[in-house]
Amino acid sequence: MQKSTWVATPNIAVVKYWGKKDSQLNLPANNSISVTMDEALSTKTTVEFSEKYKEDELVLNKMRASESDLGRAVKVLDAIRKMAKIKYRARVESQNNFPTAAGLASSASGFAALACAASDAAGLKASARQLSIFARLGSGSACRSVLGGFVEWKAGKKKDGSDSYAVQVASNNHWPQLRNVIAVVNPGRKKVGSSEGMELTANTSPLYKERIRTIGKTIAKMKRAIIQRDLQSFLELTMRESSHLHAVMLDTFPPIIYLNDISRQIIEGVHDLNAKKGRLVAGYTFDAGPNAHIYTLEAHVGEVEDMLSKISGVKKVIVCKVGAGPRRLPSSESLF
Ligand code: 2P0
């Protein structure tokens, strides 16, 4: 069988996934909406199924993967083997061009690249929907990275997860001026993993129930803002939704705190910039870590970078466009 190599990119949610209905299948409690990044951040993955492998092997950034990472990859590989009706074990090698587990969504690009490369290597002609379902088994948010542009993950209703997958809201060419200015604050490993954190929130936060009750309206407003390229609404909804997520995290017991002093300085810096301009030109969002993703238009990237340059804890700034989604690489790019 042929080796296959794919590159995929992370996505950053503007309406967040936090909480599961089923932790085996990664079925979410609510729909979410994200923007796929361009290849400023990317994961490249090569997969080969062969009788020469006795067990599935996973190498991440040139090191043998942990048992838990291997276990998540095997869930994806097993689903693909079942559909392709093959029994061969696989070798998977994967490389990120950015730090793993720094809150830059390496699992999203990683499992999206794995789903695409493994399906291709297994000879499947999988649809985007099917690839999204495969990627979701590795990590929930990864199901959104199999598509480019602006993406909605439909939570679905079925117990087997067959209606829980991502669909495109608008392509990467829809809003060409939009930029994500990423402020890398702390590229260390995070203390509380997302899966663990979201379970604790669902079990202990009264505010979380309110979040789930009202999030359908937020989804509808965000889709409208994206489709209409309504920057004011998009930025305000993005900031409010990020704060809402971090409010339920703080309402969790014991509290989950991902933001730090640098994150808070960035929040103030964005509001100061907006106040100076007399309208919203930038809007932040934070995931399970202190790094900021600041949405703005190309014309204001310089002002956002200036603001960040005055905050001493910002270690690195990466500017992303909206990405086009995963793509297959030629065999000359194979990792083994
Ligand atoms: C999101 N996050 O929507 C939210 C916002 C973090 C904060 O999805 O357990 O790595 O593998 O399904 O996808 C991070 O959680 O969790 C995440 P699993 P995942 O992007």
Side-chain angles (χ1 to χ4, degrees):
M1 299 185 83
Q2 293 286 316
K3 279 181 204 169
S4 175
T5 302
W6 283 67
V7 63
T9 59
N11 64 80
I12 179 83
V14 288
V15 181
K16 313 284 191 184
Y17 151 53
W18 199 253
K20 305 187 196 202
K21 285 188 294 200
D22 180 322
S23 59
Q24 268 309 303
L25 296 174
N26 289 332
L27 302 181
N30 59 274
N31 291 21
S32 53
I33 296 181
S34 61
V35 186
T36 299
M37 295 178 202
D38 72 9
E39 291 181 16
L41 299 179
S42 70
T43 303
K44 182 171 157 182
T45 299
T46 301
V47 179
E48 181 181 41
F49 289 97
S50 166
E51 61 188 346
K52 68 187 175 205
Y53 303 123
K54 298 295 164 237
E55 313 225 341
D56 289 325
E57 298 170 16
L58 174 62
V59 176
L60 287 181
N61 298 319
K62 304 206 164 119
M63 300 210 315
R64 216 188 150 88
S66 67
E67 281 302 309
S68 88
D69 284 341
L70 176 64
R72 291 161 81 190
V74 169
K75 277 168 75 178
V76 178
L77 294 168
D78 280 344
I80 290 169
R81 277 189 283 255
K82 191 172 168 199
M83 184 163 288
K85 301 190 173 67
I86 59 170
K87 293 254 184 272
Y88 296 140
R89 301 295 103 182
R91 177 175 174 83
V92 179
E93 240 184 273
S94 192
Q95 265 178 34
N96 292 329
N97 71 350
F98 58 96
T100 304
L104 290 175
S106 58
S107 68
S109 51
F111 286 107
L114 174 64
C116 293
S119 298
D120 192 29
L124 283 180
K125 297 269 173 283
S127 61
R129 175 189 302 195
Q130 191 57 57
L131 290 171
S132 183
I133 290 174
F134 289 146
R136 193 197 71 227
L137 297 171
S139 182
S141 55
C143 83
R144 298 186 306 235
S145 270
V146 305
L147 290 162
F150 301 81
V151 176
E152 180 178 11
W153 174 11
K154 307 270 188 192
K157 291 195 164 58
K158 294 188 182 159
K159 277 203 153 25
D160 67 357
S162 57
D163 59 352
S164 182
Y165 53 83
V167 295
Q168 201 175 56
V169 174
S171 84
N172 61 306
N173 300 318
H174 170 69
W175 203 345
Q177 307 85 353
L178 196 70
R179 295 290 180 277
N180 171 7
V181 181
I182 306 168
V184 180
V185 166
N186 176 10
R189 289 188 86 89
K190 55 192 178 194
K191 282 196 210 103
V192 185
S194 299
S195 309
E196 191 192 336
M198 57 179 87
E199 192 182 345
L200 194 61
T201 300
N203 289 335
T204 65
S205 165
L207 191 58
Y208 178 73
K209 293 186 181 61
E210 179 63 9
R211 174 173 175 78
I212 296 302
R213 196 180 68 76
T214 55
I215 204 155
K217 276 192 185 153
T218 311
I219 291 274
K221 286 186 201 161
M222 185 63 85
K223 270 203 277 198
R224 204 178 313 131
I226 290 168
I227 289 163
Q228 296 177 348
R229 291 185 286 262
D230 175 348
L231 187 69
Q232 299 301 300
S233 301
F234 177 75
L235 296 177
E236 181 173 338
L237 285 165
T238 296
M239 291 188 278
R240 283 182 177 277
E241 165 52 21
S242 172
S243 299
H244 204 269
L245 175 76
H246 291 275
V248 300
M249 287 168 169
L250 195 59
D251 191 46
T252 300
F253 197 81
I256 303 168
I257 303 173
Y258 289 122
L259 305 184
N260 64 19
D261 277 344
I262 315 299
S263 319
R264 281 186 283 277
Q265 286 177 50
I266 296 170
I267 291 173
E268 285 176 20
V270 167
H271 286 291
D272 287 348
L273 174 63
N274 288 334
K276 200 170 82 189
K277 304 297 279 186
R279 63 187 197 283
L280 303 183
V281 296
Y284 48 77
T285 185
F286 296 85
D287 271 357
N291 302 318
H293 294 256
I294 304 171
Y295 279 101
T296 190
L297 297 183
E298 188 181 11
H300 302 293
V301 167
E303 287 163 292
V304 172
E305 285 177 325
D306 275 356
M307 179 273 289
L308 293 173
S309 71
K310 294 182 187 115
I311 300 174
S312 62
V314 174
K315 296 212 160 61
K316 191 177 171 166
V317 175
I318 302 164
V319 182
C320 275
K321 295 183 189 173
V322 182
R327 66 189 171 94
R328 189 180 202 277
L329 296 176
S331 55
S332 57
E333 298 255 7
S334 175
L335 289 170
F336 62 91

